[in-house]
Amino acid sequence: MKKLIDAVDDVVLDALRGMAAAHPSLRVDLDQRIIVRADAPRTGKVGLISGGGSGHEPLHGGFVGYGMLDAACPGEVFTSPVPDQILAATTAVSGGAGVVHIVKNYTGDVLNFQMAAELADDEDIEVIPVVIDDDVAVQDSTFTAGRRGTGATVFVEKIAGALAEADGAVADVAAVATEVNERSRSFGVALTACTVPAAGRPTFELGEDEIELGIGIHGEPGRERTKLRTATEIVDFSLSAINDDMPLSGSDVLVMVNGMGGTPLMELYGAYAAADKWLTGHGATVSRRLVGNYVTSLDMAGCMISVCRLTPRLAELWDAPVETPGLRWGR
Amino acid sequence: MDVRQWIVRFSELVTADASRLTRLDSDIGDGDHGTNLDRGLRAAVAALDSDLPPGKVLMTAGRTLVSKTGGASGPLYGTALRRAGKAFGDATEVDAAGLGAALRAALEGIKELGKAEEGDKTMVDALTPAVAAYEGAAGEGLAAATRAALDGAEKGAEATVALQARKGRASYLGPRSVGHLDPGAASTVLLFRALADVAGRS
């Protein structure tokens, strides 16, 4: 394992120290391990919180700031945060108008956020959880823990964040988050496995000419392994999987070609060209797009495509100003 | 029997086996089970006060596990220990019947929180036969009953190899999860090994 780190045990803490030093707009509490907007809490504003394992940067800490999240709780690498941490973040951003928890559908995340919500309730803070489950690679929830929450988390955090910034009520912020989740789907492909620092070796073995289709964001293997294909073939396969689940023809879409951490932007742009062509060819109108590393899986090579079928209101909230380390425009 | 020693022994066994648990988890999950549980249990042991009655010891250990572990194992093991502790109530001694009721409560707590049943390839598959075996042998005293429970846990864990996962991250692998020992079931065996070790001492 070759990593730019000091010590395996300090990886997350050192990253938090760096975020604190690099972004004065954030308040980083190293003891509680939370990243909070420096201006939080704002009285009367709904607090928007997310969190999950570290290793997906910029998700979630990189999306804390004006127009998006009020706080993020990073767990250990690929491990959900603990309830105390989530409660600390909830308390730190509570402006009396309630707090929305954006939770990715992974067993550990769901359980820990659930416990934190109970603790917050004890302190009379209203918490509404919204669970993200956009991954079409997971099909039948009777045989699995249900769809994973992956790329659409960025869409949800941005759009719900815009409404919260505009002083939307807690029920409305939660409702728009749910709406975005329901209108979004993702599919991911790995070209290589990633290496978790504490494990010291790749999470799974992938041959030189093999790829893994339908991966999640924690380095867990996907649903099928095949031979390497061209970027266009991979993009077509991913978008077909999405389209089979949520027909895109006639829709105005927001699309994200997301890098998993180890793929150069050059290749992501190539993939985006194929995605744009596929979507247009299948009757969708691409009106908003993101290309880059937004929800990563450490050093994994590969990409994930996420699509959201927009409404005029969702497009307007997407376009609203945002100023975070990982996403900024209009301000 | 000293339940504090049970948690201490569980922590020792998990520390010794952490890399194996993590490797089992890498095969079908995300590769953090050993490091996570080790971290949580060390914190739980540090939080324990030897003067507390059994129920309070387990509730404290459970609360600490929930607070410090993360992942799915923190809430699940933490809830199991908290429920077991509640079942002891104010009892000052651990007898065979009391421990049986506590183990049953732990199993129910885990099934409720994880919404898992037998056959889903989770820790429930080791825990269920362990508790059943314990109850079957409870009349023979603590040492014998905990040995029977360990035997049940081992057999249950081994049986997860053939199962396809329906819960947790391994479920995303579908048929490819078959052929691997479930890491949660593997750590559950350690929980019962620790119990048998400690009950056998007294």
Side-chain angles (χ1 to χ4, degrees):
Chain A
M1 179 179 68
K2 248 189 222 175
K3 299 236 181 224
L4 184 64
I5 59 177
D6 283 350
V8 166
D9 290 344
D10 298 335
V11 168
V12 175
L13 199 58
D14 286 342
L16 287 176
R17 286 195 188 104
M19 286 202 75
H23 304 292
S25 62
L26 304 178
R27 196 168 72 226
V28 180
D29 184 330
L30 296 176
D31 290 326
Q32 300 277 6
R33 294 210 174 188
I34 55 175
I35 299 165
V36 185
R37 274 170 70 164
D39 59 353
R42 197 175 91 206
T43 307
K45 179 189 179 298
V46 169
L48 193 63
I49 290 181
S50 194
S54 294
H56 306 306
E57 292 69 30
L59 192 81
H60 298 273
F63 298 135
V64 175
Y66 181 88
M68 217 161 160
L69 296 176
D70 293 284
C73 337
E76 291 293 325
V77 175
F78 291 172
T79 299
S80 62
V82 297
D84 288 7
Q85 209 182 341
I86 303 167
L87 178 65
T90 305
T91 312
V93 307
S94 173
V99 175
V100 174
H101 285 175
I102 310 239
V103 187
K104 297 187 299 307
N105 191 32
Y106 277 100
T107 309
D109 291 280
V110 171
L111 292 181
N112 283 283
F113 270 94
Q114 185 183 326
M115 303 216 147
E118 283 172 27
L119 296 173
D121 185 63
D122 292 348
E123 297 188 15
D124 291 326
I125 299 174
E126 183 186 7
V127 170
I128 305 184
V130 176
V131 176
I132 310 302
D133 57 351
D134 56 309
D135 179 13
V136 300
V138 179
Q139 281 171 324
D140 192 340
S141 66
T142 11
F143 295 102
T144 67
R147 286 180 166 178
R148 297 172 287 215
T150 57
T153 312
V154 179
F155 301 162
V156 173
E157 291 176 0
K158 168 68 188 80
I159 289 172
L163 186 59
E165 199 66 61
D167 289 336
V170 67
D172 296 334
V173 173
V176 84
T178 304
E179 185 187 3
V180 173
N181 178 55
E182 284 168 355
R183 300 180 73 90
S184 300
R185 299 288 188 277
S186 297
F187 191 90
V189 177
L191 307 184
T192 67
C194 60
T195 299
V196 176
R201 59 167 198 148
T203 308
F204 53 92
E205 297 296 332
L206 209 48
E208 192 56 34
D209 60 342
E210 287 179 324
I211 59 172
E212 187 85 24
L213 299 172
I215 50 147
I217 57 171
H218 295 85
E220 70 270 34
R223 71 169 173 189
E224 191 186 335
R225 186 168 292 188
T226 63
K227 291 288 174 199
L228 179 62
R229 302 174 185 183
T230 66
T232 298
E233 285 166 344
I234 288 172
V235 166
D236 289 359
F237 187 90
S238 304
L239 282 167
S240 295
I242 289 172
N243 191 58
D244 286 348
D245 197 81
M246 180 180 77
L248 299 169
S249 178
S251 298
D252 182 22
V253 299
L254 156 63
V255 58
M256 174 170 75
V257 172
N258 171 58
M260 303 309 296
T263 289
L265 267 178
M266 181 185 77
E267 294 171 30
L268 295 179
Y269 274 113
Y272 178 76
D276 193 272
K277 187 174 170 210
W278 192 99
L279 287 163
T280 307
H282 285 76
T285 305
V286 182
S287 71
R288 310 284 190 285
R289 66 288 287 170
L290 276 182
V291 182
N293 293 302
Y294 294 100
V295 185
T296 56
S297 191
L298 294 169
D299 52 353
M300 178 184 277
C303 74
M304 171 171 282
I305 300 184
S306 302
V307 181
C308 175
R309 288 166 57 226
L310 292 169
T311 63
R313 177 168 179 256
L314 296 184
E316 191 182 317
L317 290 166
W318 177 258
D319 291 341
V322 59
E323 191 171 342
T324 70
L327 210 59
R328 64 171 63 203
W329 57 70
R331 192 166 184 252
Chain B
M1 194 196 97
D2 181 352
V3 293
R4 184 176 174 275
Q5 284 308 316
W6 177 23
I7 306 303
V8 170
R9 184 69 186 138
F10 184 32
S11 177
E12 287 169 1
L13 291 175
V14 167
T15 300
D17 230 5
S19 59
R20 184 182 70 106
L21 293 174
T22 292
R23 201 166 56 242
L24 289 171
D25 194 26
S26 293
D27 289 341
I28 55 170
D30 57 345
D32 65 359
H33 190 55
T35 41
N36 252 355
L37 199 54
D38 190 22
R39 186 177 57 246
L41 282 168
R42 284 169 191 265
V45 167
L48 291 182
D49 183 337
S50 51
D51 293 337
L52 294 172
K56 286 273 186 287
V57 167
L58 293 180
M59 284 171 74
T60 305
R63 259 204 312 277
T64 313
L65 272 184
V66 170
S67 302
K68 305 288 182 197
T69 314
S73 48
L76 290 170
Y77 273 114
T79 298
L81 293 183
R82 272 181 42 238
R83 292 290 183 91
K86 267 192 185 169
F88 274 114
D90 296 330
T92 50
E93 293 295 323
V94 175
D95 60 22
L99 182 58
L103 291 175
R104 173 60 61 184
L107 171 61
E108 295 306 324
I110 281 190
K111 286 173 77 169
E112 199 181 300
L113 186 63
K115 299 185 178 69
E117 293 296 330
E118 251 190 302
D120 286 344
K121 197 181 179 98
T122 70
M123 56 198 295
V124 170
D125 290 307
L127 201 51
T128 306
V131 174
Y134 181 95
E135 287 168 346
E140 300 163 36
L142 262 180
T146 54
R147 272 200 308 277
L150 171 58
D151 190 47
E154 282 174 338
K155 289 200 174 92
E158 196 50 42
T160 64
V161 172
L163 296 172
Q164 176 172 334
R166 289 192 295 243
K167 291 285 169 191
R169 237 167 252 180
S171 68
Y172 302 129
L173 272 174
R176 285 199 287 165
S177 62
V178 175
H180 297 277
L181 178 62
D182 178 66
S187 60
T188 299
V189 170
L190 301 182
L191 178 72
F192 283 95
R193 181 161 299 142
L195 185 60
D197 285 355
V198 172
R201 274 183 221 158
S202 49

